[in-house]
Every structure is written in C-alpha cells, then in structure tokens.
Amino acid sequence: MEFLTVAIDDGVAVATINRPPANALSRALILEVDALLDQVENDDSVRVIVFHGQGKFFSAGADIKEFTSVTSGEEFSKLSASGQEVFERLERFSKPVIAAIHGAALGGGLELAMACHMRIVTENAKLGLPELQLGLIPGFAGSQRLPRYVGMPKAAEMLLTSDPISGVEAARLGLANHAYTDEELLPKTMELAKKIAKKGPVAVKAALEMLQYTKHPSYYEGVKAEADSFGEVFVSEDAKEGIQAFLEKRVPVFKGK
C-alpha cells in the first residue's frame, strides 16, 4: 500500500499512516484502510490493530484539495457514504482497533479515530471537527459518533465552534481512554494492545459484537442523513468560499448561500 505501512509485533498489526505533510485522508487512503481490514480479517497472526500517524500528526483532516475536483451534490453524498461505509466496517470489525493519536486528529482524522474501538492520546494532542470553518459539516459520521462519546452539549459546542480539545480533556470526557506524554504514547498503546491480544479470539469477537447492540437505532438514520446533507452543503457558495479561502490561506467570507 502507498499510504499505510504495516508491521506485526506479537499479535498487533501497527498500521502507520504516512501521507506527508499532515496525513490528510484521501479517497485512496480510505480505500487502503478497507484493504488492510481485508488482509488481517482472517490472519490468525493478527489479534489487534493499532493506527498511528507518521510525523507530526495522526491525521489533520480530509484532503480538501481533492474535494475541489468534485462538483455535484450527488457525487459529494456518494463520497461521504463510501467513507462512512469503510469507517462503519472499522467500528464493526471482528478484531479490536486502537487509534494512537499524537499532534492532531482533526476532521476526517478524528472521524477515523472515533470509528476505532479505543483511542489513546498524547496530553497535548488536538482533537476536533473544524468542518464548519469551511462552511461544511462532517462527512464520515462525525456528527453521529461524537455525541456518543462526549454527550450532546459538548458535541454541539465542538461542532459549532470548530474549537478542538486537548488530549487531557478528551480523556476526561471519555473520547479517549488514556492520555500520556509523547514518549509514553506508543509504548503504553502497545502494552494495552498486547494485553488484549492474549485474550481468546472467539470471546474477543463476541464481546465486540455485543458492544454494537448499545447503539441507538436512529444512529444509522443519522449517518444516512449526514451523507445526504454533506452533498447539499458541499455545493453551496459558502462551501466554495470556505475551501477557496483555505487554499488561499485567508479568512473566509460566508454569505449564507
């Protein structure tokens, strides 16, 4: 794979995202996540998966430049739905998946992390959904998963202000399992992953299946609604202005159109 490198250590597959400079999520990278799940699903040597980012970030968001090649709302909705499908598969995966987050997990990067079963963060990491700064909304089920972890009021604040939270606050709110120093992040994550890897695979799979029953039934309706709305918002003048301002490194001027 071009953007994911995988190393197996004592039952743990460490998948390192390597797409400099910010490990932005592209369609190709999301497809590689799906391909990774294909590879390890029936591989008995892999009991746990850990996602980690190469360089300064876990993933600073989706690849905005890639989106400029898409023009219709219908195509944007399909793009959203296809990413949601991969992340839903990740969340329902039969083997535990852990995100080890340093630097930043923003936008699509946080949506990827929230689809994992657990999140371990550095204390100074930044986690957030800044899409509204571009005149957009999250497209990979971020608006549905975030309230499940931090509660509706805090999710509304994070979504509507675009302000990120620190790793320490993420752990306090329940978005992250643990917050460690930069130096501790990978050793502590691997310690957790290897502890889980020693458990019986049949029981682990069954436990993960049971956790899925805790979802509210309307979650899936919300995910579908998000994909439809994502396409509608993406073709608005505000979104075009937000993306153009991002590329030109200036403050956007939104007009509500």
Side-chain angles (χ1 to χ4, degrees), residues 3 69 71 79-80 84 94 117 159 168 174 176 203 207 216-217 240 250:
F3 304 119
S69 64
T71 57
L79 173 65
S80 174
Q84 289 177 352
S94 59
H117 300 118
L159 188 62
V168 170
H216 194 281
K240 293 176 183 176
R250 60 176 174 82

Side-chain angles (χ1 to χ4, degrees), residues 201-225:
V202 174
V204 168
K205 180 180 179 181
L208 291 175
E209 289 174 350
M210 292 304 101
L211 289 173
Q212 296 301 315
Y213 283 92
T214 64
K215 293 180 181 177
H216 194 281
S218 66
Y219 166 80
Y220 299 101
E221 296 176 12
V223 165
K224 175 61 167 61

Side-chain angles (χ1 to χ4, degrees), residues 34-256:
D34 197 36
L36 171 66
L37 299 183
D38 283 339
Q39 291 180 13
V40 304
E41 189 165 20
N42 297 309
D43 185 346
D44 293 338
S45 69
V46 174
R47 299 286 183 85
V48 180
I49 303 169
V50 170
F51 280 101
H52 180 60
Q54 181 71 31
K56 296 181 179 180
F57 303 102
F58 177 79
S59 172
D63 189 340
I64 301 300
K65 291 182 179 180
E66 185 178 76
F67 288 163
T68 60
S69 64
V70 183
T71 57
S72 73
E74 181 180 1
E75 190 174 355
F76 278 120
S77 292
K78 289 180 179 178
L79 173 65
S80 174
S82 64
Q84 289 177 352
E85 183 178 355
V86 174
F87 288 2
E88 181 65 25
R89 182 187 180 194
L90 187 64
E91 187 173 61
R92 289 176 166 271
F93 201 58
S94 59
K95 299 180 181 183
V97 186
I98 304 172
I101 299 169
H102 72 291
L106 300 173
L110 180 57
E111 290 177 297
L112 169 63
M114 287 193 294
C116 298
H117 300 118
M118 288 164 276
R119 284 152 297 284
I120 312 300
V121 300
T122 58
E123 296 168 341
N124 57 5
K126 298 298 180 184
L127 295 83
L129 297 175
E131 285 85 351
L132 266 71
Q133 289 187 141
L134 304 179
L136 304 173
I137 63 171
F140 299 139
S143 67
Q144 304 303 296
R145 287 194 175 96
L146 185 61
R148 287 164 41 192
Y149 295 120
V150 304
M152 186 62 71
K154 186 61 180 180
E157 178 186 339
M158 291 177 63
L159 188 62
L160 297 176
T161 65
S162 299
D163 292 339
I165 61 175
S166 69
V168 170
E169 187 174 5
R172 181 182 66 82
L173 291 169
L175 179 57
N177 296 71
H178 304 283
Y180 296 114
T181 65
D182 290 3
E183 294 75 21
E184 291 175 317
L185 178 65
L186 279 180
K188 289 291 188 179
T189 301
M190 291 301 291
E191 180 182 332
L192 173 64
K194 289 181 180 181
K195 182 176 183 178
I196 295 170
K198 290 181 170 62
K199 301 295 188 293
V202 174
V204 168
K205 180 180 179 181
L208 291 175
E209 289 174 350
M210 292 304 101
L211 289 173
Q212 296 301 315
Y213 283 92
T214 64
K215 293 180 181 177
H216 194 281
S218 66
Y219 166 80
Y220 299 101
E221 296 176 12
V223 165
K224 175 61 167 61
E226 183 188 84
D228 292 340
S229 181
F230 184 78
E232 294 173 4
V233 171
F234 223 115
V235 294
S236 69
E237 291 184 20
D238 275 358
K240 293 176 183 176
E241 165 64 10
I243 291 172
Q244 192 62 35
F246 174 82
L247 297 175
E248 295 175 0
K249 294 181 172 56
R250 60 176 174 82
V251 177
V253 179
F254 297 125
K255 298 180 178 178

